[in-house]
Amino acid sequence: MKEFVRPRLRSAVSAAIVAMLSCAALSRAQSPSPISSASPVFREVTDEVGRSVRIPQPVRRIVSLAPSLTETIYALGLQDRLVGDTIYCDYPPDAQKKTKVGGAINPSLEQIVALHPDLVLVTKGLNRLETADALEGLGISSYSTVHPHTVEEIIASSKKLSDVLGVPEAGASVASDMQRRLADLQQRVGALAAKRVLFVVWTQPLISVGKDTFIADALRRAGAVSIVDSDQGWPQVSLEEVARLQPEFLVFAASHSESASPAVEVLATLPGWSIVDAVSNRRFAVISDAVNRPAPRIVSAIEDLAKQLHPEAFVEKPENSKEKIEKENPPLNQRPAPHYSFSTDIVHDHSTVPGGRACAH
Protein backbone atom coordinates (compact mmCIF):
# COMPACT_ATOMS: atom_id res chain seq x y z
CA MET A 1 0.00 0.00 0.00
CA LYS A 2 2.83 2.43 0.85
CA GLU A 3 4.50 1.70 -2.47
CA PHE A 4 1.24 2.62 -4.24
CA VAL A 5 0.61 5.81 -2.25
CA ARG A 6 4.11 7.25 -2.50
CA PRO A 7 4.20 7.45 -6.33
CA ARG A 8 0.77 9.04 -6.26
CA LEU A 9 1.93 11.49 -3.62
CA ARG A 10 5.02 12.41 -5.66
CA SER A 11 2.81 12.87 -8.72
CA ALA A 12 0.48 15.18 -6.80
CA VAL A 13 3.39 17.24 -5.51
CA SER A 14 4.83 17.54 -9.01
CA ALA A 15 1.47 18.67 -10.36
CA ALA A 16 1.22 21.26 -7.63
CA ILE A 17 4.67 22.63 -8.49
CA VAL A 18 3.79 22.89 -12.19
CA ALA A 19 0.58 24.70 -11.29
CA MET A 20 2.48 27.13 -9.06
CA LEU A 21 4.96 27.90 -11.86
CA SER A 22 2.12 28.46 -14.31
CA CYS A 23 0.40 30.84 -11.90
CA ALA A 24 3.65 32.68 -11.31
CA ALA A 25 4.24 33.04 -15.05
CA LEU A 26 0.72 34.33 -15.55
CA SER A 27 1.11 36.76 -12.67
CA ARG A 28 4.37 38.10 -14.16
CA ALA A 29 2.77 38.47 -17.57
CA GLN A 30 -0.20 40.39 -16.18
CA SER A 31 1.74 42.53 -13.73
CA PRO A 32 2.32 46.17 -14.70
CA SER A 33 5.65 47.21 -16.12
CA PRO A 34 8.25 47.96 -13.44
CA ILE A 35 9.10 51.15 -15.34
CA SER A 36 5.99 52.92 -14.07
CA SER A 37 3.65 52.32 -11.15
CA ALA A 38 0.78 54.07 -12.96
CA SER A 39 -2.01 52.05 -14.58
CA PRO A 40 -0.94 50.88 -18.03
CA VAL A 41 -2.38 52.61 -21.08
CA PHE A 42 -3.61 50.46 -23.95
CA ARG A 43 -4.25 51.14 -27.62
CA GLU A 44 -6.64 48.94 -29.56
CA VAL A 45 -5.65 48.12 -33.14
CA THR A 46 -6.73 45.63 -35.79
CA ASP A 47 -3.92 43.44 -37.05
CA GLU A 48 -3.54 42.15 -40.60
CA VAL A 49 -5.57 39.00 -39.98
CA GLY A 50 -8.48 41.06 -38.61
CA ARG A 51 -7.97 40.44 -34.89
CA SER A 52 -8.61 43.24 -32.41
CA VAL A 53 -5.47 43.60 -30.29
CA ARG A 54 -4.95 45.66 -27.11
CA ILE A 55 -1.36 46.87 -27.06
CA PRO A 56 0.31 48.45 -24.01
CA GLN A 57 1.58 51.98 -24.62
CA PRO A 58 4.34 52.71 -25.23
CA VAL A 59 5.69 49.45 -26.67
CA ARG A 60 9.05 49.08 -24.93
CA ARG A 61 9.67 45.33 -25.08
CA ILE A 62 9.15 43.30 -28.28
CA VAL A 63 9.53 39.62 -29.09
CA SER A 64 9.65 38.66 -32.77
CA LEU A 65 8.71 35.18 -33.97
CA ALA A 66 9.71 35.61 -37.63
CA PRO A 67 13.01 36.56 -39.34
CA SER A 68 11.25 39.06 -41.63
CA LEU A 69 9.68 40.84 -38.64
CA THR A 70 13.04 40.96 -36.89
CA GLU A 71 14.60 42.56 -39.97
CA THR A 72 11.78 45.09 -40.14
CA ILE A 73 12.29 46.04 -36.49
CA TYR A 74 15.96 46.77 -37.23
CA ALA A 75 15.04 48.72 -40.38
CA LEU A 76 12.76 50.90 -38.23
CA GLY A 77 15.59 51.53 -35.75
CA LEU A 78 13.83 49.71 -32.88
CA GLN A 79 16.46 47.06 -32.23
CA ASP A 80 16.96 48.25 -28.64
CA ARG A 81 13.34 47.32 -27.91
CA LEU A 82 13.74 43.80 -29.33
CA VAL A 83 14.29 41.57 -26.30
CA GLY A 84 13.85 38.18 -27.97
CA ASP A 85 13.53 36.42 -31.32
CA THR A 86 13.77 32.96 -32.91
CA ILE A 87 16.75 30.77 -33.69
CA TYR A 88 16.20 31.60 -37.39
CA CYS A 89 16.47 35.37 -36.89
CA ASP A 90 20.03 35.74 -38.17
CA TYR A 91 20.04 39.14 -39.90
CA PRO A 92 21.40 41.63 -39.18
CA PRO A 93 24.19 39.87 -37.26
CA ASP A 94 23.22 41.70 -34.07
CA ALA A 95 19.90 39.83 -34.12
CA GLN A 96 21.81 36.62 -33.36
CA LYS A 97 22.73 38.09 -29.97
CA LYS A 98 19.13 38.47 -28.86
CA THR A 99 17.59 35.98 -26.44
CA LYS A 100 16.25 33.02 -28.42
CA VAL A 101 12.77 31.71 -27.67
CA GLY A 102 12.96 28.67 -29.94
CA GLY A 103 11.67 28.18 -33.47
CA ALA A 104 8.82 29.84 -35.32
CA ILE A 105 6.56 26.78 -35.22
CA ASN A 106 7.00 25.81 -31.57
CA PRO A 107 8.44 28.73 -29.59
CA SER A 108 8.88 28.38 -25.85
CA LEU A 109 6.01 30.16 -24.14
CA GLU A 110 7.90 29.99 -20.85
CA GLN A 111 10.86 31.86 -22.34
CA ILE A 112 8.55 34.45 -23.91
CA VAL A 113 6.78 35.06 -20.58
CA ALA A 114 10.14 35.44 -18.83
CA LEU A 115 11.04 38.32 -21.19
CA HIS A 116 7.98 40.38 -20.07
CA PRO A 117 7.14 41.55 -23.61
CA ASP A 118 4.65 44.33 -24.26
CA LEU A 119 4.02 42.83 -27.69
CA VAL A 120 4.86 39.64 -29.58
CA LEU A 121 5.00 39.89 -33.37
CA VAL A 122 3.83 36.89 -35.40
CA THR A 123 3.07 36.27 -39.06
CA LYS A 124 0.36 34.13 -40.59
CA GLY A 125 1.72 31.26 -42.63
CA LEU A 126 4.91 30.86 -40.60
CA ASN A 127 3.64 30.95 -37.02
CA ARG A 128 0.68 28.95 -35.75
CA LEU A 129 -2.64 30.42 -34.64
CA GLU A 130 -2.35 28.27 -31.53
CA THR A 131 0.71 30.30 -30.51
CA ALA A 132 -1.21 33.58 -30.69
CA ASP A 133 -4.12 32.03 -28.77
CA ALA A 134 -1.78 30.71 -26.07
CA LEU A 135 -0.16 34.12 -25.68
CA GLU A 136 -3.57 35.75 -25.36
CA GLY A 137 -4.44 33.23 -22.64
CA LEU A 138 -1.31 34.35 -20.77
CA GLY A 139 -2.32 38.00 -21.04
CA ILE A 140 0.36 38.83 -23.65
CA SER A 141 -0.63 40.87 -26.71
CA SER A 142 0.37 39.58 -30.15
CA TYR A 143 0.14 41.39 -33.47
CA SER A 144 -0.02 39.32 -36.67
CA THR A 145 0.98 40.20 -40.22
CA VAL A 146 -0.07 38.22 -43.30
CA HIS A 147 2.03 36.72 -46.06
CA PRO A 148 2.34 39.40 -48.80
CA HIS A 149 1.94 38.69 -52.50
CA THR A 150 3.77 41.76 -53.84
CA VAL A 151 6.67 44.00 -52.91
CA GLU A 152 4.21 46.88 -52.54
CA GLU A 153 2.38 44.88 -49.87
CA ILE A 154 5.68 44.45 -48.02
CA ILE A 155 6.11 48.23 -48.02
CA ALA A 156 2.54 48.79 -46.80
CA SER A 157 2.93 46.20 -44.04
CA SER A 158 6.17 47.81 -42.82
CA LYS A 159 4.45 51.20 -42.63
CA LYS A 160 1.50 49.79 -40.71
CA LEU A 161 3.79 48.01 -38.27
CA SER A 162 5.75 51.22 -37.67
CA ASP A 163 2.51 52.95 -36.69
CA VAL A 164 1.58 50.12 -34.32
CA LEU A 165 5.00 50.39 -32.69
CA GLY A 166 4.71 54.16 -32.33
CA VAL A 167 7.28 55.26 -34.94
CA PRO A 168 5.24 56.26 -38.03
CA GLU A 169 7.95 58.67 -39.19
CA ALA A 170 10.50 55.86 -39.37
CA GLY A 171 8.05 53.74 -41.35
CA ALA A 172 7.40 56.57 -43.80
CA SER A 173 11.15 57.06 -44.27
CA VAL A 174 11.79 53.36 -44.90
CA ALA A 175 8.89 53.16 -47.35
CA SER A 176 10.04 56.28 -49.20
CA ASP A 177 13.57 54.91 -49.57
CA MET A 178 12.28 51.56 -50.89
CA GLN A 179 9.96 53.22 -53.39
CA ARG A 180 12.68 55.61 -54.59
CA ARG A 181 15.10 52.76 -55.27
CA LEU A 182 12.45 50.69 -57.01
CA ALA A 183 11.54 53.67 -59.19
CA ASP A 184 15.21 54.07 -60.15
CA LEU A 185 15.32 50.39 -61.15
CA GLN A 186 12.22 50.86 -63.27
CA GLN A 187 13.94 53.73 -65.06
CA ARG A 188 16.95 51.53 -65.79
CA VAL A 189 15.44 48.17 -66.74
CA GLY A 190 11.76 48.86 -67.34
CA ALA A 191 12.15 49.27 -71.10
CA LEU A 192 14.52 46.31 -71.52
CA ALA A 193 13.37 42.85 -72.58
CA ALA A 194 12.76 40.78 -69.45
CA LYS A 195 15.09 37.82 -68.93
CA ARG A 196 13.30 34.48 -68.68
CA VAL A 197 14.45 32.83 -65.45
CA LEU A 198 13.89 29.83 -63.23
CA PHE A 199 14.00 30.71 -59.54
CA VAL A 200 15.29 27.62 -57.74
CA VAL A 201 13.96 27.17 -54.21
CA TRP A 202 15.02 23.52 -53.96
CA THR A 203 16.81 21.20 -56.38
CA GLN A 204 15.68 17.70 -55.37
CA PRO A 205 12.79 17.73 -55.93
CA LEU A 206 12.91 20.86 -58.08
CA ILE A 207 10.73 23.54 -56.49
CA SER A 208 10.22 27.09 -57.76
CA VAL A 209 7.81 29.96 -57.04
CA GLY A 210 4.31 30.65 -58.29
CA LYS A 211 3.26 33.73 -60.22
CA ASP A 212 1.31 35.29 -57.33
CA THR A 213 4.19 35.35 -54.81
CA PHE A 214 6.17 38.38 -53.69
CA ILE A 215 9.30 36.65 -55.03
CA ALA A 216 7.78 36.50 -58.52
CA ASP A 217 6.98 40.20 -58.18
CA ALA A 218 10.57 40.85 -57.07
CA LEU A 219 11.81 39.06 -60.21
CA ARG A 220 9.62 41.28 -62.39
CA ARG A 221 10.97 44.42 -60.74
CA ALA A 222 14.51 43.20 -61.46
CA GLY A 223 13.77 42.90 -65.16
CA ALA A 224 13.01 39.18 -65.16
CA VAL A 225 10.03 36.89 -65.60
CA SER A 226 9.64 33.41 -64.18
CA ILE A 227 9.11 30.58 -66.66
CA VAL A 228 6.85 28.93 -64.08
CA ASP A 229 3.23 29.96 -64.59
CA SER A 230 1.55 28.37 -61.58
CA ASP A 231 -1.14 29.44 -59.13
CA GLN A 232 0.59 27.43 -56.40
CA GLY A 233 2.92 29.26 -54.06
CA TRP A 234 5.75 26.73 -54.23
CA PRO A 235 5.13 24.45 -57.24
CA GLN A 236 7.20 21.39 -58.03
CA VAL A 237 8.61 21.54 -61.57
CA SER A 238 9.83 18.68 -63.76
CA LEU A 239 13.23 18.75 -65.43
CA GLU A 240 11.51 17.98 -68.75
CA GLU A 241 9.41 21.13 -68.41
CA VAL A 242 12.49 23.23 -67.64
CA ALA A 243 14.29 21.75 -70.66
CA ARG A 244 11.30 22.56 -72.84
CA LEU A 245 11.05 26.16 -71.64
CA GLN A 246 14.85 26.75 -71.60
CA PRO A 247 15.25 29.67 -69.14
CA GLU A 248 17.98 32.18 -69.92
CA PHE A 249 19.16 32.22 -66.29
CA LEU A 250 18.75 30.15 -63.16
CA VAL A 251 18.39 32.27 -60.01
CA PHE A 252 19.46 31.06 -56.56
CA ALA A 253 19.14 32.69 -53.16
CA ALA A 254 22.25 32.17 -51.03
CA SER A 255 22.77 32.90 -47.37
CA HIS A 256 24.19 36.35 -46.68
CA SER A 257 27.17 34.61 -45.11
CA GLU A 258 28.02 32.76 -48.31
CA SER A 259 29.71 34.13 -51.41
CA ALA A 260 27.97 31.62 -53.67
CA SER A 261 25.36 28.93 -53.38
CA PRO A 262 26.78 25.39 -53.36
CA ALA A 263 23.60 24.34 -55.17
CA VAL A 264 24.87 26.08 -58.30
CA GLU A 265 27.73 23.66 -58.94
CA VAL A 266 25.87 20.67 -57.54
CA LEU A 267 23.06 21.22 -60.01
CA ALA A 268 25.44 21.05 -62.97
CA THR A 269 26.52 17.55 -61.93
CA LEU A 270 23.03 16.09 -61.62
CA PRO A 271 21.90 13.68 -64.36
CA GLY A 272 19.88 15.28 -67.12
CA TRP A 273 20.58 18.90 -66.27
CA SER A 274 23.09 19.28 -69.10
CA ILE A 275 20.17 19.60 -71.54
CA VAL A 276 19.31 22.94 -69.93
CA ASP A 277 21.34 25.58 -71.75
CA ALA A 278 21.54 27.87 -68.70
CA VAL A 279 23.18 25.02 -66.76
CA SER A 280 25.63 23.87 -69.42
CA ASN A 281 26.61 27.50 -70.12
CA ARG A 282 26.76 28.39 -66.41
CA ARG A 283 24.25 31.23 -66.65
CA PHE A 284 23.46 31.58 -62.96
CA ALA A 285 22.52 34.55 -60.80
CA VAL A 286 23.16 34.16 -57.07
CA ILE A 287 21.58 36.78 -54.83
CA SER A 288 21.04 37.30 -51.11
CA ASP A 289 18.44 35.30 -49.24
CA ALA A 290 16.82 38.68 -48.55
CA VAL A 291 14.67 37.88 -51.60
CA ASN A 292 13.01 35.15 -49.51
CA ARG A 293 12.01 37.47 -46.68
CA PRO A 294 9.15 39.99 -46.87
CA ALA A 295 11.14 42.79 -45.26
CA PRO A 296 12.69 46.10 -46.44
CA ARG A 297 16.01 44.41 -47.31
CA ILE A 298 14.34 42.71 -50.29
CA VAL A 299 15.02 45.82 -52.38
CA SER A 300 18.77 45.18 -52.09
CA ALA A 301 18.26 41.67 -53.49
CA ILE A 302 16.18 43.05 -56.37
CA GLU A 303 18.89 45.60 -57.19
CA ASP A 304 21.56 42.89 -57.10
CA LEU A 305 19.60 40.63 -59.44
CA ALA A 306 18.92 43.47 -61.88
CA LYS A 307 22.64 44.23 -62.07
CA GLN A 308 23.46 40.59 -62.83
CA LEU A 309 20.76 40.18 -65.47
CA HIS A 310 21.09 43.62 -67.07
CA PRO A 311 24.65 44.87 -66.45
CA GLU A 312 24.41 47.22 -69.42
CA ALA A 313 21.75 49.26 -67.61
CA PHE A 314 24.16 50.13 -64.81
CA VAL A 315 27.15 51.24 -66.87
CA GLU A 316 27.56 54.98 -66.65
CA LYS A 317 27.90 56.47 -70.13
CA PRO A 318 31.37 58.04 -70.56
CA GLU A 319 31.60 61.57 -71.89
CA ASN A 320 33.03 61.89 -75.39
CA SER A 321 35.68 64.47 -76.22
CA LYS A 322 33.19 66.98 -77.61
CA GLU A 323 30.93 66.79 -74.53
CA LYS A 324 33.95 67.15 -72.24
CA ILE A 325 35.23 70.26 -74.10
CA GLU A 326 31.77 71.87 -74.09
CA LYS A 327 31.40 71.13 -70.37
CA GLU A 328 34.77 72.68 -69.54
CA ASN A 329 34.30 75.66 -71.91
CA PRO A 330 30.64 76.73 -71.91
CA PRO A 331 29.51 79.60 -74.22
CA LEU A 332 30.17 83.10 -72.90
CA ASN A 333 26.49 83.80 -72.36
CA GLN A 334 26.25 80.72 -70.10
CA ARG A 335 29.30 81.47 -67.97
CA PRO A 336 28.77 82.86 -64.49
CA ALA A 337 29.61 86.50 -63.85
CA PRO A 338 33.14 86.94 -62.47
CA HIS A 339 33.38 87.45 -58.75
CA TYR A 340 36.54 88.52 -56.98
CA SER A 341 37.44 88.46 -53.35
CA PHE A 342 40.49 90.52 -52.44
CA SER A 343 42.49 90.22 -49.28
CA THR A 344 44.30 93.22 -47.83
CA ASP A 345 47.61 91.57 -48.69
CA ILE A 346 46.76 91.40 -52.43
CA VAL A 347 45.55 95.00 -52.50
CA HIS A 348 48.79 96.07 -50.82
CA ASP A 349 50.86 94.21 -53.44
CA HIS A 350 49.06 95.95 -56.33
CA SER A 351 49.66 99.37 -54.79
CA THR A 352 53.38 98.90 -54.22
CA VAL A 353 54.65 96.91 -57.21
CA PRO A 354 55.60 99.04 -60.26
CA GLY A 355 53.10 98.61 -63.07
CA GLY A 356 50.44 97.47 -60.66
CA ARG A 357 51.22 93.73 -61.04
CA ALA A 358 51.61 91.41 -58.16
CA CYS A 359 54.76 89.38 -57.89
CA ALA A 360 54.59 85.62 -58.15
CA HIS A 361 55.93 83.98 -55.07
Side-chain angles (χ1 to χ4, degrees):
M1 183 68 176
K2 291 182 179 179
E3 292 179 357
F4 177 72
V5 172
R6 286 176 181 172
R8 295 191 61 185
L9 181 59
R10 285 197 297 268
S11 177
V13 172
S14 298
I17 292 173
V18 170
M20 289 173 62
L21 289 174
S22 300
C23 290
L26 181 60
S27 176
R28 288 196 302 269
Q30 294 178 333
S31 62
S33 171
I35 296 176
S36 173
S37 58
S39 299
V41 177
F42 290 88
R43 175 189 175 193
E44 191 158 326
V45 303
T46 301
D47 68 10
E48 293 184 14
V49 299
R51 295 185 309 135
S52 181
V53 183
R54 294 180 73 241
I55 302 177
Q57 297 295 302
V59 179
R60 295 190 179 95
R61 300 178 65 81
I62 305 168
V63 169
S64 166
L65 297 185
S68 60
L69 293 171
T70 294
E71 289 197 20
T72 302
I73 291 171
Y74 273 85
L76 295 174
L78 299 178
Q79 57 270 20
D80 290 343
R81 302 188 195 180
L82 183 66
V83 295
D85 59 19
T86 75
I87 57 176
Y88 301 109
C89 296
D90 56 0
Y91 191 90
D94 185 68
Q96 300 176 37
K97 303 175 185 177
K98 300 294 183 178
T99 300
K100 302 302 175 183
V101 297
I105 305 299
N106 292 301
S108 169
L109 295 178
E110 183 177 2
Q111 287 182 306
I112 294 175
V113 169
L115 291 173
H116 304 287
D118 296 315
L119 185 64
V120 176
L121 301 180
V122 299
T123 185
K124 183 180 179 182
L126 179 62
N127 305 118
R128 298 186 306 159
L129 178 61
E130 290 84 353
T131 299
D133 289 342
L135 290 170
E136 183 178 357
L138 291 170
I140 299 175
S141 301
S142 65
Y143 176 90
S144 179
T145 62
V146 297
H147 197 71
H149 295 283
T150 66
V151 175
E152 195 60 44
E153 288 180 6
I154 296 174
I155 296 174
S157 180
S158 299
K159 286 187 67 176
K160 187 173 181 181
L161 182 59
S162 72
D163 181 63
V164 169
L165 297 178
V167 287
E169 299 85 359
S173 177
V174 168
S176 176
D177 179 67
M178 293 175 71
Q179 290 167 333
R180 175 187 59 78
R181 292 161 65 187
L182 290 170
D184 178 67
L185 277 178
Q186 176 63 25
Q187 287 287 329
R188 291 177 180 271
V189 304
L192 302 178
K195 301 291 185 181
R196 298 173 60 257
V197 305
L198 172 67
F199 185 89
V200 180
V201 176
W202 201 256
T203 56
Q204 293 182 302
L206 179 60
I207 296 176
S208 187
V209 294
K211 61 184 179 182
D212 293 326
T213 61
F214 70 84
I215 296 179
D217 186 43
L219 296 177
R220 289 189 286 268
R221 291 174 179 271
V225 61
S226 173
I227 64 169
V228 178
D229 185 23
S230 174
D231 293 327
Q232 298 179 34
W234 313 102
Q236 185 172 332
V237 187
S238 69
L239 178 57
E240 291 75 17
E241 184 69 1
V242 175
R244 184 182 70 83
L245 296 172
Q246 289 294 344
E248 297 174 80
F249 282 84
L250 267 62
V251 181
F252 293 85
S255 169
H256 55 265
S257 62
E258 300 172 349
S259 58
S261 171
V264 172
E265 294 305 323
V266 170
L267 191 65
T269 66
L270 296 178
W273 277 96
S274 59
I275 63 176
V276 179
D277 292 341
V279 174
S280 57
N281 294 321
R282 296 296 197 276
R283 290 199 300 270
F284 300 119
V286 181
I287 58 176
S288 164
D289 68 342
V291 74
N292 290 326
R293 296 180 176 180
R297 191 168 61 107
I298 194 173
V299 176
S300 297
I302 296 173
E303 291 170 334
D304 185 14
L305 180 58
K307 290 175 182 177
Q308 294 186 57
L309 299 181
H310 300 283
E312 71 280 5
F314 297 87
V315 176
E316 297 301 329
K317 183 180 178 182
E319 293 180 331
N320 59 39
S321 299
K322 182 179 179 182
E323 290 174 337
K324 186 174 182 181
I325 292 173
E326 290 178 349
K327 184 176 180 180
E328 295 177 349
N329 301 279
L332 291 175
N333 61 349
Q334 295 181 12
R335 297 181 183 181
H339 175 74
Y340 302 101
S341 177
F342 296 103
S343 70
T344 54
D345 290 338
I346 295 177
V347 173
H348 178 73
D349 285 343
H350 275 272
S351 64
T352 57
V353 177
R357 295 180 181 178
C359 297
H361 295 281

